[in-house]
Amino acid sequence: MKDNLIIGRYIPGNSFIHRLDPRFKLVAMILFMVLIFMASGWLDYVILTAVILGLIFLSNISLGVYVRGLKPMLIIIVFTVVLQLFFTYQGDVIWSFGPLKLTTDGLLNAVMIFMRFVLVIFISTIVTLTTQPITLTDALENLFSPLRKILPVHEVALMLSIALRFVPTLMEETDKIMDTQRARGVDFSEGNLIDRIKAIIPILIPLFISAFNRAYDLAIAMEARGYRGSEGRTKYRQLKWQRRDTLASIVLIGLMILIIWI
Amino acid sequence: MTTKRFVLLAFLLALLIICAQLTIPILTIPITLQSFAIMMIGLVTRPTEALIVTITYVFIGLLGFPVFAGGSGGFQILLSPSFGFLMSFPLMSVAISSCHHQRPHQLWLSLLCGVAINLTIGWLYFMGYTWWQTGHPVTFLTAFQVTVLPFLPGEGLKLWLAHFVYQRLLHSVRTFHDF
């Protein structure tokens, strides 16, 4: 079980990237995605790769951490690259075997799609490694606040904060339940499919009941402390825009102009 | 919506995140409980609430929170041929929730409705994905064999599991109806 599923993604540090305003980081991440998808020539990719590697350097986090972040996506990357390599029928055929055709265009497309995957994963990983989840939630609430009239922005942000806070607790609860059941003879790693399905039920039912009990207790406690909804509340955690955020914004705008212009 | 309802939604979101990490380790295709949790959310909540939870889940996953199966997350999921399944979660949960509210005693029908939507959207998205990637379409049958057939046994089991767990939850001391 991953006890640090949410908490563990964030790596504490005091780098320039860590100290940027999370709202800027979120918007910048989205804009980087757009740039990566807009990129069409090799020079675009060289520039974007250089910039993202520069950001990785600035974050003071080892490149190995970012490369390990590729692992969950490995199967998808390989699948897509292979799809590009052997099923693109434009361009000169280099090699073929039945319906499989390796072409020059397929080769170029495969390299491009691979670069896209890696760059997108890296830019996403930079944000999650250098920003605490609760801070990202604050940023999301702030960025979505113009939609407050039509969407329950505060309530969803609250929901997200509570969920992130309780994932480690419920994860721990899951481990506890599993250990308890093991102590009473349940084996989670043996038997056929039906046995394994049966073994998971003693985990799920107590887990759901425990979650509902905690939810009820928490709701009562919140109301007892005077929570009545989003109106009329102040904020303890404040996000502050700094000069370095302005500087980073200018650099980002410059990069966008450069990519579009080339 | 009251405080209690939103706190319930928060805990359902947390359960969804956790279930996505729980797998039943079978030799061939590992079965995660992600879609099981979507089914439970559909059964336990109203359609609007189910929509809020599942859209939030997909949204934060795309933003990079590691909440999808295997601790994955990030915008690159959009580039994945299986993103259709994730994309279908809001629709799947709303369908289960709506069916369940209209026909409370036909649990199987509600769950089947949701699973059908999930697999259909995954199927169609995969076809669109391969078309976009290679420039020529793949047949319905081929896409069906890749995206629907291998998942039918697992989905069937999760469907039964959701039915069973829901029935048991109805008899616990404190249920979701208390909220």
Side-chain angles (χ1 to χ4, degrees):
Chain A
M1 191 55 60
K2 302 179 179 180
D3 288 328
N4 296 319
L5 173 69
I6 301 296
I7 311 296
R9 248 318 177 92
Y10 170 72
I11 296 181
N14 196 33
S15 72
F16 180 82
I17 307 292
H18 277 84
R19 282 180 277 125
L20 286 172
D21 190 293
R23 289 168 294 185
F24 168 78
K25 281 192 264 192
L26 275 180
V27 174
M29 183 180 73
I30 303 294
L31 292 178
F32 261 102
M33 306 289 184
V34 174
L35 285 181
I36 291 167
F37 279 95
M38 279 178 58
S40 54
W42 64 270
L43 188 54
D44 287 347
Y45 280 104
V46 169
I47 292 171
L48 283 170
T49 303
V51 169
I52 289 175
L53 287 179
L55 293 175
I56 288 174
F57 173 78
L58 277 179
S59 69
N60 277 343
I61 295 171
S62 157
L63 184 63
V65 176
Y66 292 91
V67 173
R68 277 198 297 278
L70 298 172
K71 198 188 295 182
M73 298 293 297
L74 201 57
I75 292 174
I76 292 170
I77 294 175
V78 170
F79 174 86
T80 309
V81 168
V82 168
L83 204 63
Q84 283 292 324
L85 280 175
F86 295 116
F87 290 93
T88 301
Y89 294 159
Q90 293 98 34
D92 303 322
V93 176
I94 298 170
W95 171 89
S96 70
F97 180 80
L100 306 180
K101 294 186 204 305
L102 182 60
T103 66
T104 52
D105 279 10
L107 212 50
L108 288 174
N109 286 350
V111 172
M112 199 164 289
I113 200 73
F114 177 80
M115 288 306 297
R116 273 185 184 160
F117 260 109
V118 173
L119 292 179
V120 166
I121 293 169
F122 277 2
I123 198 65
S124 174
T125 306
I126 290 171
V127 174
T128 52
L129 289 182
T130 62
T131 318
Q132 291 185 0
I134 203 66
T135 308
L136 279 177
T137 304
D138 289 339
L140 281 173
E141 182 181 8
N142 190 272
L143 290 172
F144 275 90
S145 60
L147 299 178
R148 218 174 0 229
K149 293 293 205 304
I150 53 179
L151 291 177
V153 171
H154 168 81
E155 282 77 8
V156 172
L158 175 69
M159 180 186 82
L160 198 50
S161 297
I162 295 174
L164 293 180
R165 157 65 181 82
F166 278 93
V167 165
T169 303
L170 292 179
M171 204 69 91
E172 192 180 321
E173 187 86 12
T174 306
D175 282 334
K176 217 175 282 180
I177 294 169
M178 288 178 84
D179 288 340
T180 303
Q181 301 293 3
R182 279 197 192 94
R184 295 171 179 169
V186 176
D187 194 333
F188 297 112
S189 56
E190 283 186 10
N192 57 31
L193 185 61
I194 303 298
D195 290 336
R196 290 177 194 233
I197 292 288
K198 284 179 180 174
I200 205 119
I201 292 170
I203 302 172
L204 292 175
I205 295 179
L207 179 62
F208 271 76
I209 291 175
S210 168
F212 291 151
N213 283 335
R214 285 182 194 275
Y216 193 81
D217 291 343
L218 177 62
I220 295 294
M222 284 170 65
E223 288 177 344
R225 292 170 179 230
Y227 181 80
R228 281 177 291 107
S230 57
E231 296 300 321
R233 292 182 56 80
T234 57
K235 245 187 179 306
Y236 177 73
R237 282 194 312 269
Q238 303 276 358
L239 299 173
K240 292 186 175 66
W241 190 264
Q242 311 264 5
R243 191 178 300 113
R244 56 172 168 265
D245 300 307
T246 306
L247 177 67
S249 301
I250 293 171
V251 172
L252 178 60
I253 292 171
L255 176 67
M256 290 178 69
I257 293 172
L258 182 65
I259 294 291
I260 294 170
W261 175 64
I262 291 178
Chain B
M1 248 183 271
T2 65
T3 304
K4 287 195 175 77
R5 294 305 295 183
F6 259 110
V7 174
L8 174 65
L9 297 190
F11 275 81
L12 289 173
L13 177 57
L15 286 169
L16 173 51
I17 293 170
I18 290 172
C19 284
Q21 315 308 321
L22 290 174
T23 60
I24 302 170
I26 304 299
L27 291 178
T28 49
I29 303 175
I31 300 172
T32 81
L33 295 178
Q34 191 180 45
S35 55
F36 159 81
I38 297 290
M39 294 174 199
M40 291 304 299
I41 289 171
L43 293 175
V44 165
T45 61
R46 300 163 196 146
T48 306
E49 295 166 343
L51 194 67
I52 290 174
V53 175
T54 49
I55 285 185
T56 302
Y57 176 72
V58 175
F59 186 73
I60 62 173
L62 288 179
L63 279 184
F65 287 73
V67 295
F68 292 150
S72 61
F75 249 76
Q76 68 275 8
I77 301 288
L78 275 170
L79 295 168
S80 154
S82 58
F83 177 68
F85 294 107
L86 290 169
M87 196 173 66
S88 74
F89 283 162
L91 224 58
M92 178 185 180
S93 60
V94 170
I96 293 175
S97 188
S98 300
C99 284
H100 184 52
H101 271 77
Q102 289 166 29
R103 297 182 174 84
H105 302 295
Q106 298 186 33
L107 216 50
W108 292 115
L109 182 65
S110 305
L111 292 169
L112 278 170
C113 183
V115 171
I117 287 176
N118 178 240
L119 292 176
T120 301
I121 293 180
W123 180 8
L124 295 178
Y125 185 92
F126 180 85
M127 291 181 63
Y129 178 87
T130 51
W131 193 338
W132 167 56
Q133 284 291 333
T134 64
H136 62 91
V138 69
T139 65
F140 271 105
L141 185 58
T142 303
F144 182 83
Q145 287 167 345
V146 174
T147 62
V148 178
L149 236 44
F151 295 100
L152 284 180
E155 293 303 306
L157 281 166
K158 280 178 266 188
L159 197 148
W160 174 83
L161 195 60
H163 184 283
F164 186 88
V165 171
Y166 178 78
Q167 298 279 40
R168 285 303 192 87
L169 288 179
L170 285 177
H171 299 102
S172 65
V173 173
R174 173 167 296 153
T175 72
F176 39 91
H177 289 312
D178 294 331
F179 290 83

